[in-house]
Amino acid sequence: MTVTITAFERSPDGGMGLARDTRVRWALEEVGQAYEVRPVSFAAMKEPAHLAVHPFGQIPTYEEGDLVLFESGAIILHIASRHAGLLPEDANARARAITWMFAAINTVEPPILDIVTAKFTEGDKPWSKERMPLIADRIRHRLGQLSTRLGDAEWLDGAFSAGDLMMVSVLLRTRPSGILNEFPGLAAYVARGEARPAYKRAFAAQLAFNTAQPAAG
């Protein structure tokens, strides 16, 4: 059965790979699974048809026959569990890879998302400028801890896994702020992720998709 994922009709980042459909595309490319993409406008995301697929009116979603999933972490865990290539065969190593997936979403990503919210959603508030340095410091704290754990290793726990895919995807969101460059080890780690052929294919596909979509209005 053909896999169909949803993506922004026009991504807010203009196709720079920060939208969460990119990480799902990357996972599918890593395991060699073909997929189709259904574009969703911001208006359509709030309509009943899309809310029936994603109750919170977001992207991405994943459809394969009767199976419908939302939340990028759950989608990638499903892909990694069903197809070889993203989770180790050893049970303990597999559990650790899944732990890193959760760490990326639950521990590292929240403060990173805060800075996006503060800049674009709350930027006109009188207290926004005072809040930004506090958020940046929380990000630096988390990245410092992650950098210490990674050390000189190529990946987080042995071979590349879904944990690395998710962590690199999350860390990419720190690049526009410049904070990632303050941690050379993490910057190199992210660059290794971007150098993977599957990531290059995923990024090129989402960039071409965004370029091909008609401009809003």
Side-chain angles (χ1 to χ4, degrees):
M1 287 175 282
T2 302
V3 170
T4 300
I5 67 171
T6 50
F8 289 123
E9 187 176 72
R10 295 286 289 184
S11 179
D13 70 356
M16 295 310 296
L18 302 184
R20 289 183 178 87
D21 65 287
T22 305
R23 58 184 69 166
V24 175
R25 293 171 185 265
W26 184 6
L28 289 165
E29 292 287 353
E30 286 283 355
V31 301
Q33 291 298 303
Y35 62 96
E36 296 179 352
V37 181
R38 184 171 69 250
V40 183
S41 68
F42 284 101
M45 286 168 62
K46 309 306 177 186
E47 294 176 356
H50 186 70
L51 290 173
V53 180
H54 196 310
F56 304 108
Q58 299 176 331
I59 63 98
T61 60
Y62 174 104
E63 297 174 60
E64 184 179 14
D66 295 333
L67 177 64
V68 178
L69 300 174
F70 61 95
E71 291 294 334
S72 61
I75 294 169
I76 291 170
L77 180 56
H78 168 75
I79 294 168
S81 299
R82 178 167 289 189
H83 305 284
L86 282 174
L87 289 176
E89 292 186 7
D90 175 77
N92 288 347
R94 190 181 187 92
R96 290 193 300 269
I98 293 171
T99 296
W100 279 115
M101 290 183 66
F102 279 84
I105 297 172
N106 292 343
T107 302
V108 179
E109 190 168 37
I112 295 172
L113 294 180
D114 274 350
I115 204 167
V116 176
T117 301
K119 183 176 181 180
F120 295 105
T121 305
E122 303 170 349
D124 60 340
K125 306 298 182 184
W127 38 261
S128 179
K129 289 184 178 180
E130 295 180 3
R131 185 166 179 252
M132 288 290 283
L134 299 176
I135 298 172
D137 284 345
R138 286 199 293 271
I139 296 172
R140 291 186 179 98
H141 176 66
R142 283 290 182 236
L143 296 196
Q145 292 174 313
L146 179 63
S147 181
T148 297
R149 175 61 175 80
L150 179 65
D152 295 328
E154 184 177 16
W155 305 113
L156 290 169
D157 191 82
F160 176 86
S161 74
D164 295 294
L165 186 153
M166 189 64 72
M167 190 66 77
V168 168
S169 297
V170 166
L171 292 176
L172 278 166
R173 301 179 73 96
T174 67
R175 183 173 282 163
S177 70
I179 296 177
L180 180 63
N181 294 331
E182 298 177 20
F183 300 87
L186 293 183
Y189 169 67
V190 169
R192 287 192 291 275
E194 292 178 296
R196 293 181 67 83
Y199 178 83
K200 291 182 178 180
R201 292 193 298 271
F203 182 88
Q206 64 83 36
L207 180 59
F209 180 82
N210 275 275
T211 303
Q213 298 306 308

